[in-house]
Amino acid sequence: TGEPKAFGRHVPWGVCGYAPAQLRGAYGVRAAASGSGVTVAVIDAYAAPTMPRDVSTWARAVRGVPAFRPGQYRQVLPGKFDDENACGASGWYEEQTLDVEAVHTMAPAARIEYVAATDCTFGPLLDALTEVVDKHLADVVSDSWTGAEQGLTSADAAPFDQVFQQGAIEGIGFDF
């Protein structure tokens, strides 16, 4: 009964997640830490077509999280997406929305730049990451890609390391 209610009551099968205060408390983020003046980039493959609306609906339903201000959220999308069937494009939508909601929970005044890769392979994801660093689109990059980095060879990891190092030199933080 200490968890948030699902559908107006406590149910054993309802996945409730964490309330904003619980999530902020787990990381020791004080209420005064709003993220004002900070831009956070979220990079994923594809882009949920309903993400801005879904995040707005979520913010209205959750206590302690304000709705986006005009211009606070922006999407950087490629001209087209590739391999949507092979990568299961729609399977990425839920995770993207959760990532944006989590950033908005932790830093409700921060600007959010959602940067979409053309597909789910490492090359396009690296391209999206490089775009953030090259254009200094954000102060912090947050990602939660699936895939085991221990499965990468040093040759596969080297380009990512180079982008991370360049971003760090420019003052960009990376949370993967």
Side-chain angles (χ1 to χ4, degrees):
T1 60
E3 300 299 322
K5 291 181 179 181
F7 312 107
R9 61 191 174 102
H10 292 100
V11 293
W13 65 86
V15 179
C16 300
Y18 292 104
Q22 292 171 313
L23 187 59
R24 291 172 65 86
Y27 289 95
V29 176
R30 298 181 329 274
S34 68
S36 181
V38 174
T39 301
V40 179
V42 174
I43 300 172
D44 271 313
Y46 311 110
T50 60
M51 187 166 16
R53 184 177 66 232
D54 293 344
V55 173
S56 294
T57 299
W58 166 82
R60 282 193 304 274
V62 176
R63 287 186 317 217
V65 179
F68 281 137
R69 299 179 322 274
Q72 185 179 4
Y73 173 81
R74 183 175 82 108
Q75 290 184 325
V76 179
L77 305 177
K80 67 180 185 80
F81 295 113
D82 300 321
D83 299 324
E84 293 177 78
N85 290 333
C87 287
S90 64
W92 287 73
Y93 296 172
E94 186 177 348
E95 181 68 25
Q96 297 158 359
T97 303
L98 289 171
D99 290 349
V100 171
E101 290 169 354
V103 169
H104 192 52
T105 295
M106 298 301 282
R111 291 193 64 225
I112 298 175
E113 297 273 330
Y114 177 80
V115 182
T118 59
D119 69 41
C120 68
T121 59
F122 282 134
L125 289 166
L126 178 62
D127 291 344
L129 182 63
T130 301
E131 182 171 4
V132 171
V133 172
D134 285 351
K135 296 180 181 175
H136 203 100
L137 296 178
D139 305 297
V140 177
V141 177
S142 176
D143 292 300
S144 61
W145 306 337
T146 56
E149 67 183 82
Q150 65 267 24
L152 294 176
T153 67
S154 59
D156 292 332
F160 284 93
D161 291 343
Q162 184 178 4
V163 174
F164 292 144
Q165 290 168 6
Q166 182 64 39
I169 289 167
E170 296 176 17
I172 300 172
F174 300 91
D175 296 305
F176 275 66

